[in-house]
């Protein structure tokens, strides 16, 4: 059994596997080289030769326990024919949503439009490098995708003032998302994904009753669907106020924590396997501090099923040597 599966399925506490969110990305010179020649990010994700090569780049450098497919959560609205663009130094920009058009999209249309993502997964999972390692497929959680689809850009600055105005529209989008997220997950699993991570990057924007409507119930449906495929599911409800409640309601197989979570407290609150936590900024400091902070997490989760990861994606300005150092610290522990 792969190290990640041993931790998630068998609750093994003796091994501490490691993979890193955004491990394939801009901090790697070999990625930047490919990226320079491929200015259109969506096209790059839809080039199965390049996207599978990019996926494997970090595994060639570091002794990581999983590959995460090089794609994006916004390939889902793209597959639904919403316009999606990535502007340099700004982030994603989406076109206005046309609910009548989106409602007409069939499973075949959708799968055809993003088919290279599945081909890339097939390539990665069949590559020698990933034998006895996991290939992680992923989706955005319904709430986070809803945010991008209605807000049309990152909510980093703010949600549109009238975001919640058209409740009927929101209901329709959530129902379409549920259908196509399941289709997207099913095809990733069919092509070799053996862990699914659900990224709810904007879970922290909500509280109270909204949590139930937009996070707990839609995510629970998705988690139950992944479980029905016999594949472990990891949830990352970033910056949610109450991880304990989230885990009690949604019951993922493992939960990924952000860097604002107190690791000692979460250890008392949560019984399921835990992943992540370390602040990505620690990789921008020095080796001594990196070691101290990494060992802190490993010590706290010594007797708990734990997968090492960061509390959010690796920053583009990270020195690959620091990443190398981090992986070695975890492997030598
Ligand atoms: O080179 C570039 O300019 C593109 C930068 C980039 C990359 C490398 C984007 C644009 N997406 C990705 C890949 C990506 N995105 C992966 C690949 C696998 C890996 O982890 O190595 C994954 C898992 C994602 C997931 C993703 N995309 C999330 C969830 C995780 C998170 O960071 O919170 C989100 C919110 C997105 C949207 C998105 N796509 C890209 C950017 C810059 C963003 C975030 C914009 C924002 O802040 O709102």
């Amino acid at each position: 059994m792969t190290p990640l599966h041993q931790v998630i399925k068998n609750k093994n506490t003796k091994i501490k596997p490691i993979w890193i969110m955004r491990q394939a990305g801009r901090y790697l010179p070999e990625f930047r080289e490919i990226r320079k020649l491929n200015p259109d990010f969506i096209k790059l994700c839809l080039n199965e030769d390049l996207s599978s090569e990019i996926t494997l780049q970090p595994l060639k450098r570091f002794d990581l326990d999983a590959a995460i497919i090089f794609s994006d959560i916004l390939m889902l609205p793209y597959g639904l024919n919403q316009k999606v663009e990535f502007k340099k130094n700004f982030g994603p920009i989406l076109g206005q949503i046309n609910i009548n058009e989106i409602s007409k999209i069939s499973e075949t249309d959708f799968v055809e439009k993003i088919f290279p993502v599945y081909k890339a997964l097939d390539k990665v999972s069949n590559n020698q490098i990933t034998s006895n390692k996991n290939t992680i497929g992923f989706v955005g959680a319904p709430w986070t995708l809803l945010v991008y689809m209605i807000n049309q850009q990152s909510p980093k600055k703010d949600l549109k003032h009238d975001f919640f105005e058209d409740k009927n529209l929101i209901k329709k989008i959530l129902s379409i998302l549920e259908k196509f997220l399941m289709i997207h997950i099913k095809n990733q699993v069919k092509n070799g994904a053996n862990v699914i991570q659900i990224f709810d990057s904007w879970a922290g924007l909500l509280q109270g009753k909204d949590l139930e409507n937009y996070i707990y119930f839609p995510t629970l449906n998705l988690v139950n669907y992944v479980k029905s495929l016999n594949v472990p599911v990891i949830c990352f409800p970033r910056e949610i106020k109450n991880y304990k409640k989230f885990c009690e309601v949604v019951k993922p197989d493992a939960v990924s924590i952000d860097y604002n979570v107190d690791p000692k407290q979460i250890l008392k609150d949560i019984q399921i396997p835990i992943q992540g936590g370390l602040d990505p900024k620690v990789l921008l400091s020095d080796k001594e501090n990196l070691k101290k902070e990494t060992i802190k997490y490993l010590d706290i989760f010594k007797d708990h099923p734990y997968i090492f990861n960061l509390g959010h994606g690796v920053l583009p300005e990270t020195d690959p040597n620091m990443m190398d150092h981090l992986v070695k610290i975890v492997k030598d522990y």
Side-chain angles (χ1 to χ4, degrees):
M1 210 189 277
T2 62
L4 258 76
H5 279 174
Q6 286 185 51
V7 171
I8 302 175
K9 294 184 181 174
N10 292 359
K11 315 284 185 284
N12 187 322
T13 59
K14 297 282 172 274
I15 53 168
K16 303 294 172 195
I18 175 171
W19 69 278
I20 301 293
M21 289 188 258
R22 297 279 169 108
Q23 63 190 25
R26 284 172 294 178
Y27 74 106
L28 288 179
E30 57 271 36
F31 170 76
R32 289 198 301 269
E33 212 167 288
I34 294 182
R35 187 76 174 90
K36 213 164 56 193
L37 301 171
N38 296 273
D40 186 329
F41 179 73
I42 298 260
K43 269 199 192 141
L44 182 56
C45 291
L46 293 175
N47 178 329
E48 75 254 26
D49 292 325
L50 288 178
S51 62
S52 56
E53 185 186 332
I54 292 168
T55 302
L56 296 173
Q57 282 175 345
L59 280 83
K60 289 179 181 160
R61 277 185 179 248
F62 318 117
D63 187 13
L64 297 160
D65 293 296
I68 178 158
I69 193 68
F70 181 80
S71 175
D72 198 87
I73 62 166
L74 299 179
M75 293 310 283
L76 196 120
Y78 175 82
L80 293 175
N81 268 344
Q82 187 172 12
K83 202 169 161 198
V84 180
E85 281 175 344
F86 290 86
K87 207 165 107 188
K88 212 176 169 192
N89 303 322
F90 183 83
I93 301 179
L94 287 81
Q96 195 143 33
I97 198 156
N98 181 338
I99 193 69
N100 292 327
E101 202 180 299
I102 284 190
S103 306
K104 284 193 216 123
I105 299 207
S106 71
E107 174 165 355
T108 322
D109 297 335
F110 174 82
V111 171
E112 241 168 48
K113 193 147 184 215
I114 62 167
F115 200 66
V117 174
Y118 308 128
K119 282 204 199 148
L121 262 163
D122 184 58
K123 280 186 151 209
V124 167
S125 61
N126 283 312
N127 192 296
Q128 244 292 101
I129 309 176
T130 60
S131 59
N132 202 39
K133 293 181 192 290
N134 285 94
T135 301
I136 302 175
F138 69 86
V139 292
W143 162 245
T144 284
L145 288 176
L146 183 75
V147 165
Y148 283 106
M149 289 170 82
I150 292 187
N151 213 51
Q152 298 176 256
Q153 63 178 53
S154 175
K156 223 177 253 164
K157 291 157 197 105
D158 226 337
L159 272 188
K160 279 184 176 169
H161 69 281
D162 57 352
F163 185 90
F164 288 105
E165 204 168 70
D166 194 345
K167 288 274 179 351
N168 200 27
L169 176 71
I170 289 183
K171 224 166 122 184
K172 280 187 188 155
I173 299 176
L174 282 177
S175 139
I176 291 168
L177 280 175
E178 173 167 278
K179 172 178 168 191
F180 286 95
L181 280 167
M182 288 178 183
I183 291 169
H184 193 32
I185 290 170
K186 177 181 74 183
N187 283 293
Q188 293 188 62
V189 168
K190 223 162 82 184
N191 286 283
N194 44 27
V195 168
I196 293 290
Q197 176 146 322
I198 301 177
F199 286 95
D200 210 348
S201 305
W202 300 108
L205 293 177
L206 293 182
Q207 41 198 325
K209 193 105 187 104
D210 285 340
L211 284 169
E212 272 169 36
N213 294 336
Y214 300 120
I215 295 189
Y216 295 161
F217 297 135
T219 313
L220 177 62
N221 284 344
L222 215 52
V223 161
N224 284 338
Y225 179 72
V226 184
K227 287 180 180 174
S228 79
L229 301 176
N230 254 318
V231 169
V233 53
I234 306 172
C235 282
F236 182 32
R238 187 168 73 91
E239 285 180 17
I240 200 161
K241 303 324 177 263
N242 194 336
Y243 271 88
K244 182 172 192 274
K245 179 81 191 290
F246 175 89
C247 290
E248 281 166 5
V249 179
V250 176
K251 299 187 189 68
D253 294 304
V255 70
S256 206
I257 56 173
D258 65 77
Y259 54 84
N260 292 313
V261 171
D262 175 359
K264 284 189 182 143
Q265 186 58 45
I266 204 91
L267 185 64
K268 288 185 203 147
D269 287 347
I270 286 178
Q271 279 72 51
I272 62 172
I274 292 172
Q275 169 178 280
L278 181 70
D279 190 337
K281 285 192 282 301
V282 172
L283 282 160
L284 307 180
S285 66
D286 53 79
K287 287 192 171 174
E288 206 177 311
N289 187 49
L290 176 61
K291 183 157 188 180
K292 190 185 92 207
E293 291 297 316
T294 303
I295 298 283
K296 184 181 97 182
Y297 277 90
L298 290 167
D299 280 346
I300 291 171
F301 295 115
K302 179 166 51 66
D303 300 316
H304 192 91
Y306 182 65
I307 298 163
F308 199 93
N309 205 319
L310 303 178
H312 201 189
V314 62
L315 296 163
E317 58 269 39
T318 303
D319 177 352
N321 289 318
M322 289 293 273
M323 184 75 135
D324 185 52
H325 197 57
L326 169 65
V327 177
K328 284 181 176 143
I329 297 165
V330 176
K331 291 284 156 172
D332 290 344
Y333 184 72

